[in-house]
Structure formats: C-alpha cells, structure tokens
Amino acid sequence: MDRLSTAALSGVPETLLIPLAARLLASERNPDLGFIDPAARVVGERLAFDPARFADDRGSMRGSIVRALWFDSVVRRFLAAHPDALCVSIGSGLDTRTDRVTPPPGVDWYDIEFPDVVALRQALIPARPNVHAIAADGANVLAWVDVVPWHRERPMLVLAEGVCMYLKPEAGAAWLRALDYLAGVRATPLTLAFDFASPFMVRNSRRNPSVRKTQAQFSWGLRRIDDAVRIAPGFRVAERYDVARRSGVLSRTVSMAHRLITGGRPLYGCATLTHAGHAAG
Ligand SMILES: C[S@@+](CC[C@H](N)C(=O)[O-])C[C@H]1O[C@@H](n2cnc3c(N)ncnc32)[C@H](O)[C@@H]1O
C-alpha cells in the first residue's frame, strides 16, 4: 500500500481514523476539554486526512477526547509512580500518546498493532527513544510477551483504548486470562486500563454513526467491569470512569436511560484493573 495513505485500511484497523479525527477536531469542536496534541496535527497533515468524514458524529468526537484524556491521566500517574516501568499499548492506531505524556527515560514503551498500522505509524510518527512498535495481534499475549522486556517484578502498564469491543468475546477472555496468569507467575504489579462497551452498544454498533462508516463492528461487550474480574480473578477493579456520561447531551441521556433500565450498568466506560503480582487465592 501507499505508505502514507489510509486507503488500504479496512475493517478494524480503519477505525483508528475515528479517534484521529477527534484529535484533529478537538481544539475547534471541544475546546473546553483542553486537549492539546500538536503531534496529531502533523500526522493528519502528512496523511492528508480530512476529519470531516466523522465530524458530524459529535458524541464520538467528544467521547474519543474524553477517553484519551482519561488514558493520559492513568499513564501519567502510573509512570510517575513507576518511572522504570514497562508500558504496552495494544491497538495504538495512530495515537501520539508518548508525545503527550513524555515517558521518563527509564520507561520502555511498546505499541502493538496490526502490520499495516505499524507501517503507517513508522512512516508518520517520528521515532522516540525507548518507544517501539510490534506488529502482532495484541490480544494474543503469547505473540508478544517474549519480545518485550517484561522481567520478573517489573511494574507494567497495559493499555487498550478503543480495542476491546472489536475483539471476539473468546479472544477478549483469553487475553484477560493470559495477563492474569503471567502477572502471577512473573510477580508483576500490573495495571490494565481499557474501555468497554455494554452488550447494548455491541448489538447496536452498526447504528454508531462513525463505526458504520467503516467495515468494522463491535463484538465483545461487558455488562459491568466486575465481569472482567470474574474472567480473570487475579485482578481487582481500581478505577471506573463513565465515558458516555461525559460525551455530550445525547450520549448522557442514553447513558442515563441505560443505567435506569439495567439497574445501574454503564453504557460505555473505562476501568483500570490492578494485579498484585501473585496468584489469586
Ligand atoms: C478505534 S481504534 C483506536 C486506536 C487508538 N487506540 C486511538 O485511541 O487512537 C482501534 C485500533 O485497535 C487496533 N486493534 C484492534 N484489535 C487489535 C488487536 N487484536 N491487536 C492489535 N491491534 C488491534 C486496530 O488496528 C485499530 O488501530
């Protein structure tokens, strides 16, 4: 494919254009959120990408920035506490998080993406010291675990932003179980940050104004974050964050109705799970 074109992106990788559009439109559409990302602007210009394709979807444009700011905050807090950590970002798309958060020099950062996306990242985003890309299925932990410097007891942060809803449910569950198992046997204090869709959102993914412009659709939903802990009992829920509630009037209204009807379940949220680094019991 043309190294600097999005034309060959299809299916799930194409969805990286949605948060990229949100980042490019953030200062104009959602200035109150205070999101600043000059590196994203450079990516957009080099790609000659017109965010107008997704601009009408105000909920996703705002929600993507609300979500990005929450992930940035998780990363900053974790790296401040663990300046020698390993950070693995699964499904980074064309995100420029390392430019926003500037990891300390002791941090090793790995972006794991499908091969076409890695090629685009390498062509578009200037290299930074200690920031690497791996072309792999990030949900298949065995595909990357021995490529990253995950040493016994080294604190680790795993990010998956805008990714889990595209995984098959069995792949999502296997991913959680593998991280749980490996954190236990490697005695790793591990924090996992991800966003998750409700089953309602999954059922209605073709109605999402941005997702339906791609060939992708959602597959995996969680009724509540505790369901992830049931799958991988070595984790504990450390933080919950309701994205839909903060993503504009329509999202907030649907989110409130969803909570009322389901007895308090989030429509769309983020969470951090922590693993103490020993087997549950
Ligand atoms: C909605 S985009 C989010 C991109 C980025 N995290 C952001 O917020 O800008 C979803 C991304 O996840 C990637 N992805 C989905 N499943 C993946 C997997 N199993 N392994 C690696 N990347 C994956 C896709 O290629 C796509 O770039």
Side-chain angles (χ1 to χ4, degrees):
M1 84 174 169
D2 176 350
R3 281 168 68 237
L4 294 186
S5 163
T6 59
L9 289 177
S10 67
V12 175
E14 190 183 1
T15 64
L16 67 81
L17 297 175
I18 303 169
L20 176 62
R23 291 191 288 277
L24 295 176
L25 293 167
S27 58
E28 179 194 321
R29 297 295 178 91
N30 293 293
D32 56 306
L33 296 178
F35 181 82
I36 296 169
D37 191 344
R41 194 148 299 285
V42 174
V43 168
E45 281 162 13
R46 296 191 69 194
L47 205 50
F49 169 60
D50 183 356
R53 180 177 170 201
F54 300 106
D56 289 347
D57 182 2
R58 292 182 186 193
S60 294
M61 293 303 97
R62 191 170 178 85
S64 295
I65 299 304
V66 167
R67 183 179 80 186
L69 286 166
W70 180 80
F71 273 86
D72 285 358
S73 144
V74 169
V75 172
R76 285 197 181 94
R77 283 180 275 142
F78 188 87
L79 298 187
H82 306 289
D84 53 351
L86 169 65
C87 181
V88 173
S89 170
I90 293 169
S92 305
L94 291 177
D95 186 36
T96 34
R97 170 154 293 117
T98 51
D99 287 87
R100 298 198 297 274
V101 303
T102 320
V107 169
D108 286 309
W109 184 289
Y110 285 78
D111 291 297
I112 303 185
E113 258 290 356
F114 295 125
D116 282 355
V117 181
V118 168
L120 264 184
R121 284 191 71 82
Q122 288 174 337
L124 290 165
I125 301 174
R128 290 184 70 98
N130 302 334
V131 176
H132 315 271
I134 298 175
D137 172 356
N140 178 5
V141 178
L142 293 182
W144 52 263
V145 65
D146 291 325
V147 185
V148 300
W150 182 356
H151 312 305
R152 206 177 151 74
E153 297 184 9
R154 184 179 193 186
M156 182 171 180
L157 176 64
V158 177
L159 309 172
E161 179 183 6
V163 176
C164 294
M165 58 286 283
Y166 298 109
L167 302 179
K168 296 282 177 250
E170 55 278 14
W175 172 66
L176 289 175
R177 285 194 197 103
L179 289 174
D180 183 359
Y181 173 76
L182 285 164
V185 296
R186 293 186 178 198
T188 300
L190 189 152
T191 293
L192 169 60
F194 65 104
D195 53 319
F196 62 99
S198 55
F200 173 83
M201 220 171 121
V202 171
R203 279 195 303 278
N204 289 284
S205 78
R206 292 313 296 170
R207 290 175 198 247
N208 178 300
S210 292
V211 175
R212 75 167 173 232
K213 289 183 180 166
T214 71
Q215 297 303 309
Q217 53 186 331
F218 299 155
S219 296
W220 186 31
L222 293 174
R223 287 173 306 164
R224 40 172 59 102
I225 189 59
D226 309 73
D227 292 351
V229 175
R230 262 186 280 283
I231 294 168
F235 283 107
R236 295 285 170 269
V237 180
E239 191 173 336
R240 302 162 199 257
Y241 188 76
D242 188 328
V243 177
R245 192 162 70 76
R246 296 172 169 86
S247 302
V249 178
L250 181 60
S251 294
R252 185 163 58 245
T253 308
V254 180
S255 158
M256 282 165 56
H258 185 269
R259 279 195 187 269
L260 271 176
I261 292 164
T262 60
R265 295 183 205 153
L267 175 68
Y268 174 50
C270 297
T272 56
L273 304 183
T274 53
H275 199 295
H278 47 73

